[in-house]
Amino acid sequence: MKEARRKAKAMVVGGSIAGICCAHALIAAGWDVVVLEKTCSPPNRCATGAGIGLDTVSLKLIESWIKEPKLLQHITWPLTIEHERATDGDKKITWALITDENFNFTAVHWADLHSLLYNSLPQEVVLWGHSFNSFCISDDKSAVKVQAKVLQTNETVEIVGDLLVAADGCLSSIRKTFLPDLKLRYSGYCGWRGVLDFSDNENSETIQALKKAYPDLGKCNYFDIGSEGHVILYELINQRINWIWYKNQPEPEFKGNSVTTKVSSDMIENMYEAADKVWIPELVKLIRETKEPFLNAIYDCEPLDQLYWDKVVLIGDAAHPISPHGARSTNMSILDAAVVGKCLEKWGVENLSSALKEYQSIRLPVAREQVLFSRRMGRIKQRLPVSDRGLFDPMTASEEESKVLQLRNIPYFSDIPDILM
């Protein structure tokens, strides 16, 4: 009779989508999991956040993890078209550069997706209000111990397990332990972004004008390229519109360990004035009517050569800080979680090193190419220098020249790793 494997335990640091997905994947692999998250409570459905795009692979993985897969349809919105357009800010006109009518992405609000994934976990898995302090690996490398501070009581707790998963984002403190000299690279631009809820006034002049200027809104992801960066615009479920304006500017100073910040009224007013000069009036009115726009500084870093050390593994933005232009960050996090889960299930805790080595061999080459592709695409759309070509000029670009803008060009666009088949 085959000897039963002992149940292994993993500690996941970070309770955002990467960490929550990892908890699902490891539980499915037969592991016990605890997630440490410094935020004191789950984000509510009205939390600050914005729209994200999910590919078909991510949707299938999420459906396999949640209690009621049909609920995913209640929070997502299919986007079947990608329009790349040029904007003349002086004449206040736009025109099509290239269109993909087989786009096949799905839009969802970050908070809606997080809530669905979190509520499908056993309640005891996530420890809210637990701020990660440190970890150490035992001398015989049989265990890893994590220390965390309970923010409500100031006490320090210790948790011992077989694996530490760093899902603590692009500024990962766990990654810094192994790669202290690794620096994030500022892209040269920030993303102003927001979500307009028009559910209480769907026939407003602003919405009617916007739908006339963007006739495929509701089934399309619009990318407008102008003289001062580019804008992304698409609809979310429940009558909300997500917008992002990537604007070239010096690197901002952020407080604390974050690349996202709320902004002052003066900063917002300056942004409005700049938008008036470069975008069409229908878009500017949408931006002006959005409550609490916020600012993301856009960073990435040089692709890593390693994703695990002994009993510690990186996933999500901790493993591959990436700019947003390939719509990959969330999708990569979901795929990381699924692959690490399947590798652990395949090899078992007694062969942990082999499991993590296979995870790294699957995800490292993909992450490398996608990070560099997304960086290049961002620079093209922002009209910043790229080593192997001249500046992209939306005013004169042909349809053939505009193919470089399309999301489907990203390496491994629809690939599914064999281990997930």
Side-chain angles (χ1 to χ4, degrees), residues 112-144:
D112 292 345
L113 180 60
H114 187 278
S115 177
L116 180 63
L117 287 162
Y118 168 64
N119 289 324
S120 293
L121 284 173
Q123 196 169 4
E124 67 276 8
V125 168
V126 183
L127 301 181
W128 300 100
H130 283 60
S131 180
F132 168 80
N133 280 344
S134 63
F135 73 92
C136 64
I137 296 170
S138 61
D139 292 339
D140 63 359
K141 299 193 176 180
S142 64
V144 57

Side-chain angles (χ1 to χ4, degrees), residues 165-363:
V165 181
D168 52 342
C170 68
L171 296 169
S172 170
S173 61
I174 297 172
R175 185 187 66 223
K176 195 170 185 178
T177 303
F178 301 103
L179 302 169
D181 298 325
L182 183 74
K183 305 293 184 190
L184 294 186
R185 184 198 68 94
Y186 178 59
S187 64
Y189 50 92
C190 288
W192 280 95
R193 59 190 310 176
V195 176
L196 177 72
D197 185 335
F198 63 96
S199 56
D200 60 348
N201 198 5
E202 60 184 292
N203 295 315
S204 71
E205 183 183 330
T206 298
I207 296 302
Q208 294 305 309
L210 192 74
K211 289 186 173 181
K212 190 172 180 181
Y214 297 85
D216 287 324
L217 196 62
K219 59 183 178 181
C220 176
N221 198 347
Y222 279 95
F223 297 82
D224 283 3
I225 302 176
S227 60
E228 295 292 331
H230 74 286
V231 162
I232 300 175
L233 186 74
Y234 56 86
E235 191 166 344
L236 297 165
I237 205 161
N238 296 329
Q239 297 175 305
R240 293 170 294 176
I241 295 174
N242 182 77
W243 60 268
I244 313 166
W245 175 16
Y246 295 110
K247 187 175 183 295
N248 297 343
Q249 65 173 74
E251 183 175 4
E253 291 184 13
F254 286 114
K255 293 178 181 177
N257 198 32
S258 177
V259 295
T260 300
T261 185
K262 289 188 176 181
V263 285
S264 69
S265 56
D266 284 348
M267 290 170 70
I268 294 173
E269 196 55 46
N270 289 338
M271 182 267 290
Y272 290 160
E273 290 177 9
D276 278 329
K277 296 174 184 175
V278 294
W279 302 117
I280 58 174
E282 296 88 345
L283 174 60
V284 175
K285 200 163 185 189
L286 167 78
I287 292 172
R288 283 183 173 273
E289 291 187 12
T290 301
K291 294 177 182 176
E292 296 187 355
F294 60 98
L295 191 66
N296 266 138
I298 307 302
Y299 291 91
D300 65 11
C301 77
E302 295 308 312
L304 307 190
D305 295 321
Q306 194 172 343
L307 296 180
Y308 78 96
W309 294 261
D310 294 322
K311 289 182 167 289
V312 183
V313 65
L314 309 179
I315 71 163
D317 286 343
H320 34 69
I322 186 171
S323 61
H325 309 294
R328 296 317 304 157
S329 179
T330 302
N331 291 294
M332 291 170 85
S333 297
I334 293 167
L335 206 48
D336 287 349
V339 170
V340 82
K342 286 297 183 184
C343 290
L344 292 169
E345 182 180 11
K346 172 183 172 180
W347 290 95
V349 67
E350 61 274 17
N351 297 302
L352 183 63
S353 181
S354 296
L356 299 182
K357 185 177 182 181
E358 182 169 8
Y359 161 73
Q360 178 176 276
S361 72
I362 293 169
R363 296 300 296 149

